[in-house]
Amino acid sequence: MSFVFPPFPPGSLPVAGLRQEFPVRRIFCVGRNYADHAREMGAVDQAEGREPPFFFMKPADALVAGDGELAVAYPPQTADLQHEVELVVALAGGGADISVEAAPAAVYGYAVGLDLTRRDLQARAKEKGHPWDMGKGFDQSAVAGLLHPASVCGHPAGGRIWLRVNGTLRQDGDLAAMAWKVPEIIARLSRSVRLAPGDLIYTGTPAGVGRLVRGDRLEAGVDGVGSLRARIV
Ligand code: MN
């Protein structure tokens, strides 16, 4: 096959302890997966049961990934860029209608990620019933640290998830507080799309999201899954 210009190479995540990289196919994100964050966003508490999970996407080339301090460009068209620290799931398997029981076998590994958000654009979109894409899927909006294979780190279901900005703790939650757990998220998402090797899933953020400005230094971590560092430039 020949192309009219060279195809864009896939984005990828470096894998801890390996020289190989994990090639990224698509980036899915879960909305409002921690009750404390749903509350701070003004979403109504469900008195009983869980609100079904909902998903949005970022383009695969929105990914900024690696070890060391990642440089992330402050995006245009916003005065309210916000951080959301999240556990990122990387799939090496896939399929449609994956069962909760079979879901862990589809996981290659886990990373710490940031779902960067132009909150002002997202809020306007919510108001008008418009899509979230320009609030969520802008250039460099998906940040991720080193990928840790599940063969080494297991499948974390609990443990601290935290984020500091310029040394100040802003987000401090626990994976156990996720409304929908990772295997349930995979199972639900696979009802809507056929999942595939290379897919990433950002699994939602705990409370404490907040504004970023140029020059901010971020450090984030998840127990058992390492940490990431980034600077807004
Ligand atoms: Mn998020």
Side-chain angles (χ1 to χ4, degrees), residues 84 86 115 136:
E84 298 187 357
E86 311 205 357
D115 164 13
K136 285 290 194 178

Side-chain angles (χ1 to χ4, degrees), residues 20-169:
Q20 292 167 308
E21 300 241 331
F22 176 93
V24 173
R25 179 168 170 157
R26 294 173 292 187
I27 302 176
F28 297 97
C29 306
V30 185
R32 293 197 281 260
N33 200 29
Y34 291 77
D36 58 353
H37 172 61
R39 274 195 295 276
E40 77 179 347
M41 297 307 293
V44 181
D45 251 328
Q46 301 266 320
E48 52 192 76
R50 301 177 283 183
E51 180 191 8
F54 67 92
F55 299 93
F56 59 91
M57 297 185 72
K58 295 176 185 257
D61 71 358
L63 185 67
V64 181
D67 206 2
E69 188 177 75
L70 302 166
V72 177
Y74 193 95
Q77 298 288 325
T78 185
D80 195 10
L81 177 68
Q82 295 201 359
H83 55 78
E84 298 187 357
V85 61
E86 311 205 357
L87 175 70
V88 181
V89 182
L91 300 185
D97 299 321
I98 300 170
S99 69
V100 171
E101 296 70 30
V107 175
Y108 177 81
Y110 299 89
V112 181
L114 303 175
D115 164 13
L116 294 178
T117 302
R118 293 192 285 208
R119 194 72 72 199
D120 40 4
L121 299 195
Q122 186 201 25
R124 216 169 300 150
K126 282 182 184 175
E127 245 174 57
K128 293 179 176 281
H130 288 172
W132 285 13
D133 302 49
M134 290 301 108
K136 285 290 194 178
F138 52 92
D139 297 340
Q140 306 201 341
S141 58
V143 183
L146 275 181
L147 182 57
H148 294 263
S151 57
V152 179
C153 72
H155 296 279
R160 241 182 118 211
I161 175 168
W162 57 270
L163 176 137
R164 289 177 187 278
V165 179
N166 304 321
T168 303
L169 192 63

